Amino acid sequence: MAITGDSRSQFHVLAVDDSLIDRKLIERLLKTSSYQVTTVDSGSKALKFLGFQEDEQGNPDTPFGSPNNHQEVEVNLIITDYCMPGMTGYDLLKKVKESSSLRNIPVVIMSSENVPSRITRCLEEGAEEFFLKPVRLSDLNRLKPHMMKTKIKNQKQEEDQEELKISEIQSDEQQQPVQLPSPQPQPESQPQPPPPPPPALLLQHNNNKRKAMEEGLSPDRTRPRYNGIPTMV
Amino acid sequence: MDLLSQLRGQIADFSAFLHREGFVDDQFTQLQKLRDESSPGFVVEVVSLFFEDCEKLVNNMAKALEQQIVDFKQVDSHVHQLKGSSSSIGAARIHNVCIAFKTCCEDQNRDGCVRCLQQVNHECIQLKNNLQTLFKLEQQIVAAGGSIPAMQ
């Protein structure tokens, strides 16, 4: 499925830093690179902005207000300072990666200190990049691929959701005897046409349905297999 | 030579001097590159914030070092903050003093800390004066109908 390049669609970056000067700086850098920016001065404020809430047991929960598992505001990247009082950038990174709703958001860590073990730790925890401060415009050029990857991943996830729905509907159809069309004089060698799909699905999901049926079932496939699904020739 | 050329010459010389003497480094140049029509006051704004921060931190550190029992961890955290912000705006000399200052904190060397603090204070005042001169020159150029030249 082609992703149309809409020049008006902007990437939104959430920048986290306890230093006012550094916030001003990163904001300017990001705006110069044509990103939409929100700055906050702490990890806890960042999580609040992202709509993250823990329940009383301290278990990370899906964001409040929406059972559909979507953030309140779409954030395409989080860039955070490492050294912050209270919640460090590393703590924030962990919380984001542990959250089912937030873990797909790429996280970049910034630090004024070049500590190799710190860098390794952050990258192992899932940070995409580690920038040494002061951050430069050229560093920000490395951000776009990570943000693009998330947009593509989100779109693919939506496609997969639709595929699954279709497979489930087909499974229901298999339980009933197949309704063949009324007999017409046809040579026997001609293949039988498949049962027509429910009209509602036809409108939007034709492409996905064909994709689901043509796709070879790999051994790694976690979704249940269905035998005898007629394929379109 | 017309006024504009004269001013441009002055600002070029002065900038070169600031860089040569290590008052500012390349990060300051990077900052200036971020200034554009949508945010003409960006550098002045960030620099003002820095000096406000500087004064506050210097005062806090002075107080901490006057105590009978010095809380070196606290002094160190102030130095850490100043080290970070000076690096962010390209205030090279201040940044270098902070590095030495941090070592004195770690060694719990009170006299060393006091000396470093005095140096920090001195450098802050010098840089503030120098940048005020630079900004004044820039203002004059704009007033004379020119645009602020891109720094090397």
Side-chain angles (χ1 to χ4, degrees):
Chain A
M1 191 171 141
I3 292 144
T4 52
D6 185 0
S7 59
R8 285 167 299 143
S9 66
Q10 279 192 307
F11 290 114
H12 183 195
V13 179
L14 177 64
V16 192
D17 201 318
D18 61 316
S19 156
L20 176 59
I21 288 165
D22 288 347
R23 278 202 304 282
K24 289 263 168 205
L25 210 61
I26 197 74
E27 183 182 41
R28 191 89 278 280
L29 284 168
L30 289 165
K31 281 188 170 158
T32 300
S33 307
S34 305
Y35 298 126
Q36 231 183 313
V37 191
T38 300
T39 59
V40 292
D41 65 6
S42 73
S44 45
K45 287 201 185 134
L47 291 174
K48 207 169 182 176
F49 182 80
L50 292 162
F52 174 93
Q53 260 200 343
E54 286 185 59
D55 61 27
E56 276 123 48
Q57 282 80 33
N59 300 319
D61 200 14
T62 50
F64 55 85
S66 172
N68 290 329
N69 217 27
H70 284 306
Q71 306 153 217
E72 302 229 323
V73 185
E74 194 190 341
V75 170
N76 303 113
L77 186 127
I78 300 166
I79 184 164
T80 177
D81 188 26
Y82 184 93
C83 264
M84 294 189 292
M87 194 184 290
T88 65
Y90 179 76
D91 299 331
L92 176 61
L93 167 67
K94 277 191 82 173
K95 281 238 174 339
V96 167
K97 293 302 165 187
E98 282 165 8
S99 154
S100 51
S101 52
L102 302 178
R103 73 162 67 104
N104 284 332
I105 306 176
V107 181
V108 169
I109 310 274
M110 306 180 279
S111 177
S112 53
E113 285 157 331
N114 189 352
V115 180
S117 57
R118 177 185 291 184
I119 298 172
T120 310
R121 218 162 127 236
C122 289
L123 294 175
E124 279 174 358
E125 196 59 42
E128 307 289 342
E129 301 270 359
F130 191 101
F131 292 157
L132 282 178
K133 282 179 163 180
V135 176
R136 301 197 154 194
L137 264 178
S138 51
D139 293 325
L140 297 194
N141 291 336
R142 283 147 65 180
L143 295 184
K144 198 149 190 197
H146 300 300
M147 291 193 263
M148 286 299 315
K149 207 168 37 170
T150 313
K151 281 223 161 169
I152 293 167
K153 208 191 273 189
N154 285 343
Q155 273 165 328
K156 177 142 202 321
Q157 269 181 2
E158 282 170 24
E159 276 185 34
D160 287 353
Q161 297 275 2
E162 295 307 331
E163 259 185 55
L164 192 58
K165 277 191 214 154
I166 291 157
S167 310
E168 285 167 357
I169 288 164
Q170 283 181 337
S171 148
D172 288 344
E173 283 178 359
Q174 293 297 318
Q175 304 304 325
Q176 297 149 21
V178 176
Q179 299 294 319
L180 291 173
S182 50
Q184 282 167 30
Q186 277 177 10
E188 285 179 11
S189 55
Q190 240 185 6
Q192 293 289 351
L201 282 176
L202 255 179
L203 285 167
Q204 293 160 29
H205 304 305
N206 254 342
N207 286 339
N208 288 338
K209 186 182 181 185
R210 187 161 12 105
K211 185 175 157 202
M213 295 195 289
E214 282 175 349
E215 201 177 6
L217 298 178
S218 77
D220 301 328
R221 196 177 176 83
T222 52
R223 292 179 226 144
R225 293 165 184 260
Y226 297 107
N227 291 319
I229 297 173
T231 49
M232 285 193 201
V233 181
Chain B
M1 198 199 277
D2 66 45
L3 177 64
L4 210 51
S5 308
Q6 209 177 354
L7 287 169
R8 289 214 176 100
Q10 271 184 291
I11 214 176
D13 289 343
F14 192 64
S15 300
F17 159 75
L18 290 180
H19 278 82
R20 205 169 47 237
E21 296 298 311
F23 287 108
V24 297
D25 62 21
D26 189 54
Q27 177 60 14
F28 186 72
T29 311
Q30 295 297 318
L31 229 66
Q32 289 174 310
K33 284 187 183 159
L34 291 175
R35 176 181 49 199
D36 63 14
E37 307 81 46
S38 68
S39 64
F42 174 68
V43 180
V44 173
E45 187 194 353
V46 173
V47 165
S48 307
L49 284 174
F50 171 74
F51 286 120
E52 271 175 40
D53 210 31
C54 214
E55 271 173 48
K56 196 179 63 184
L57 290 169
V58 165
N59 286 335
N60 289 344
M61 288 190 273
K63 278 198 193 102
L65 289 168
E66 279 163 16
Q67 303 304 309
Q68 272 247 294
I69 299 172
V70 176
D71 183 351
F72 284 103
K73 270 219 160 78
Q74 204 193 35
V75 179
D76 182 81
S77 76
H78 291 320
V79 179
H80 181 84
Q81 205 179 321
L82 187 60
K83 182 164 157 268
S85 48
S86 57
S87 158
S88 293
I89 71 155
R93 279 199 187 183
I94 296 172
H95 179 73
N96 289 337
V97 178
C98 286
I99 295 173
F101 204 156
K102 262 210 150 214
T103 310
C104 291
C105 288
E106 279 151 29
D107 296 342
Q108 307 215 340
N109 176 355
R110 187 204 218 127
D111 286 345
C113 283
V114 170
R115 272 196 302 273
C116 284
L117 184 62
Q118 282 169 347
Q119 236 191 315
V120 161
N121 198 33
H122 171 76
E123 292 298 340
C124 276
I125 293 168
Q126 261 206 301
L127 183 64
K128 194 170 185 180
N129 291 338
N130 279 332
L131 291 182
Q132 267 168 1
T133 305
L134 184 73
F135 294 149
K136 211 165 263 167
L137 278 170
E138 287 178 348
Q139 275 174 345
Q140 285 178 302
I141 286 180
V142 171
S147 55
I148 303 170
M151 298 294 161
Q152 292 311 308

